[in-house]
Amino acid sequence: MEAPHSPAADTAEPAGPMITVDSPERMRELGRALAALLRPGDLVMLSGELGAGKTTLTRGLGEGLGVRGAVTSPTFVIARVHPSLVGGPALVHVDAYRLGGGLDEMEDLDLDVSLPDSVVVVEWGDGKVEELSEDRLRVVIHRAVGAPAAGPAADPAVYTEHGRRTVSLTGLGSRWAGVDLGSLIR
């Protein structure tokens, strides 16, 4: 199945750092490192082909934030809330893939209510959730065309050889103005 094209993905945005990730564990490590930069009220928009590693990155975010519950793809429930086990912000994980477009369709999720006290991560959010906040982190995961998809059964050797991902991070708005996203590159 092809990923839907989003006109929002075509808009010019300042380029952030590019990080090469060579395994699912490295994608989770990136998520854990990124979690250290997040705070309540942050909106993170994840883009990438099916199987690129969006949920794997979010799993790392959940680990880094110390939230309850296994972070899995919310495709069939649209959104999952993972409360903090360590007194930090909850993680609200949204999959907007099946939603048509625009914030109107997402209003029932009450993301605007959750946002001030949580870290909200939206997969496939381009063109759908930008109105929630002018301050947001856009994460785009690119994988080589024809490379195998990630997932629980993904063979790490195959992922390394054929499935190297390139992750770009772009902070938008004043919240991200002084944040050194380049510090995530190791």
Side-chain angles (χ1 to χ4, degrees), residues 74-88:
T75 299
F76 299 105
V77 295
I78 309 298
R80 293 184 196 274
V81 177
H82 299 275
S84 176
L85 294 171
V86 295

Side-chain angles (χ1 to χ4, degrees), residues 11-78:
T11 60
E13 291 178 347
M18 300 287 281
I19 300 169
T20 300
V21 178
D22 62 5
S23 71
E25 180 51 38
R26 294 279 189 212
M27 188 67 78
R28 284 174 74 166
E29 284 179 18
L30 175 60
R32 288 190 293 270
L34 180 57
L37 299 178
L38 297 175
R39 62 185 188 203
D42 283 343
L43 173 62
V44 180
M45 295 173 43
L46 298 179
S47 300
E49 301 91 12
L50 289 170
K54 296 178 295 296
T55 300
T56 302
L57 179 74
T58 306
R59 207 169 278 130
L61 286 173
E63 292 168 6
L65 291 171
V67 299
R68 184 179 69 210
V71 174
T72 59
S73 178
T75 299
F76 299 105
V77 295
I78 309 298

Side-chain angles (χ1 to χ4, degrees), residues 39-44 89 114-120 133 135 175:
R39 62 185 188 203
D42 283 343
L43 173 62
V44 180
S114 300
L115 188 57
D117 301 319
S118 306
V119 170
V120 176
S133 177
D135 295 316
R175 154 67 178 106

Side-chain angles (χ1 to χ4, degrees), residues 105-176:
E105 194 171 336
M106 298 193 69
E107 279 184 355
D108 289 339
L109 299 177
D110 288 331
L111 293 180
D112 54 337
V113 173
S114 300
L115 188 57
D117 301 319
S118 306
V119 170
V120 176
V121 176
V122 183
E123 296 184 26
W124 306 101
D126 286 340
K128 298 175 184 175
V129 297
E130 287 86 347
E131 294 173 32
L132 282 174
S133 177
E134 55 189 55
D135 295 316
R136 59 191 174 276
L137 179 62
R138 185 161 187 261
V139 179
V140 180
I141 304 171
H142 302 277
R143 73 177 162 100
V145 175
D155 177 354
V158 173
Y159 193 105
T160 301
E161 183 180 345
H162 300 289
R164 201 165 259 127
R165 273 54 168 169
T166 304
V167 181
S168 67
L169 303 160
T170 306
L172 302 167
S174 60
R175 154 67 178 106
W176 295 100

